[in-house]
């Protein structure tokens, strides 16, 4: 657990490897993922702007190495530097765009396409086609029952797109997976998101 | 608490290799219906074939078949 819902953002985490999921927790116990952060991002960055609380529960989805720094230390180091503050707001805009796309995706795209999109997105975030993850968590992230995930993953495996085993999913056919994914996988690439909101990589 | 398995088949099979622990058969029926709804939401079928011939059969951990659902019954007409 990086941040629980409502926790003070007192640390900034920079993933060097692995992936963090930002999730909304619903009253009936749903834990739905809205954004993911990998090596091109950071968690808790906007805490630099002032006293901030975490709106989401941030948890490690794929284990990795994270670099962390206390927010207060980072704040004094940058000493109001405008370029760094701009980077922070750019990153926050990026997360907003991602959350908006994922909200639409979760509402109207089918679970198989969303699974393909998630796998491609995770592979991009961690820079590897081998995803070490807990299938229980992944089902929750996508808002489906574990059984549904198992059956969808078997379907993708039978089509030769992935290899599915306990604790691990390996992408075998990236192009095939892209064809089965919704368009969101392409939009959620950092480069695409940045250009769509008018920022350059 | 017992383990239940939710397999899909038409002339091919997609097996629930993981199983789920549920309280009783009534809970398994609820779970099966929930899975069927999640699978058929905006989704046209499995293994490239539409839902018309797909069935979900639910088994206990002795391998006994308890009941079957027709996936076609859950299709909401919004498939792609």
């Amino acid at each position: 657990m990086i941040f629980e819902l409502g926790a003070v953002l007192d640390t900034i985490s920079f993933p060097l490897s692995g992936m963090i999921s930002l999730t909304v927790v619903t009253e009936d116990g749903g834990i739905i993922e809205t954004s993911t952060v990998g090596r091109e991002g950071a968690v808790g960055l906007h805490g630099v702007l002032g006293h901030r609380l975490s709106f989401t529960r941030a948890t490690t989805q794929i284990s990795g190495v994270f670099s962390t720094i206390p927010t207060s230390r980072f704040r004094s180091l940058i000493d109001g530097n405008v370029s760094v503050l701009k980077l922070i707001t750019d990153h926050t805009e990026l997360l907003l765009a991602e959350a908006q796309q994922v909200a639409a995706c979760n509402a109207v795209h089918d679970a198989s396409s969303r699974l393909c999109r998630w796998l491609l997105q995770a592979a991009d975030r961690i820079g590897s086609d081998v995803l070490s993850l807990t299938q229980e968590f992944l089902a929750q992230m996508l808002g489906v029952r574990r059984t549904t995930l198992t059956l969808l993953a078997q379907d993708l495996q039978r089509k030769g797109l992935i290899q599915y085993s306990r604790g691990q999913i390996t992408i075998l056919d990236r192009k095939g997976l892209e064809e089965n994914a919704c368009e969101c996988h392409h939009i959620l690439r950092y480069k695409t998101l940045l250009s769509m909101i008018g920022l350059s990589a | 608490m017992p383990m239940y398995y939710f397999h899909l088949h038409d002339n091919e099979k997609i097996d629930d290799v993981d199983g789920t622990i549920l309280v009783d058969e009534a809970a398994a029926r609820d779970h099966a219906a929930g899975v069927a709804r999640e699978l058929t939401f905006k989704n046209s079928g499995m293994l490239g074939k539409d839902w018309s011939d797909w069935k979900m059969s639910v088994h206990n951990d002795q391998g006994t078949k308890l009941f079957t659902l027709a996936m076609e019954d859950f299709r909401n007409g919004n498939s792609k």
Side-chain angles (χ1 to χ4, degrees), chain A residues 144-181:
Chain A
V144 298
R145 289 168 174 78
R146 171 65 192 278
T147 307
T148 303
L149 176 67
T150 300
L151 295 169
L152 290 174
Q154 292 293 308
D155 178 68
L156 296 180
Q157 179 163 260
R158 289 278 294 277
K159 289 169 176 167
L161 304 179
I162 65 171
Q163 223 246 287
Y164 171 81
S165 59
R166 187 163 294 281
Q168 192 166 284
I169 295 182
T170 306
I171 296 177
L172 300 178
D173 178 358
R174 201 177 248 266
K175 192 153 187 304
L177 211 57
E178 284 174 10
E179 281 161 22
N180 276 259

Side-chain angles (χ1 to χ4, degrees), chain A residues 106-113 135 143-148 150-152 154-155 158-159 164 166 180, chain B residues 6-8 12-18 20 30-31 34-35 37-39 41-43 46-48 80:
Chain A
N106 287 345
V108 301
H109 289 149
D110 67 277
S112 184
S113 301
Q135 277 123 7
V144 298
R145 289 168 174 78
R146 171 65 192 278
T147 307
T148 303
T150 300
L151 295 169
L152 290 174
Q154 292 293 308
D155 178 68
R158 289 278 294 277
K159 289 169 176 167
Y164 171 81
R166 187 163 294 281
N180 276 259
Chain B
F6 302 81
H7 305 300
L8 291 178
E12 293 183 82
K13 288 183 340 130
I14 298 185
D15 286 333
D16 172 12
V17 295
D18 296 317
T20 302
D30 270 347
H31 187 82
V35 173
R37 280 192 300 269
E38 285 168 1
L39 286 174
F41 175 75
K42 304 283 182 92
N43 192 11
M46 297 289 258
L47 296 182
K80 48 175 187 197

Side-chain angles (χ1 to χ4, degrees), chain A residues 41-101:
Chain A
V43 173
L45 198 52
H46 61 287
V48 174
L49 305 174
H51 180 79
R52 293 289 186 277
L53 306 178
S54 187
F55 187 76
T56 55
R57 173 188 290 171
T59 53
T60 303
Q61 183 66 236
I62 298 176
S63 298
V65 177
F66 308 148
S67 207
T68 64
I69 181 171
T71 311
S72 51
R73 174 123 182 84
F74 190 86
R75 202 182 284 126
S76 39
L77 279 173
I78 68 169
D79 193 28
N81 180 295
V82 168
S83 303
V84 178
L85 290 176
K86 181 182 179 305
L87 267 176
I88 292 171
T89 55
D90 285 357
H91 183 262
T92 306
E93 281 185 60
L94 195 69
L95 279 182
L96 172 62
E98 179 177 350
Q100 288 167 327
Q101 187 69 31

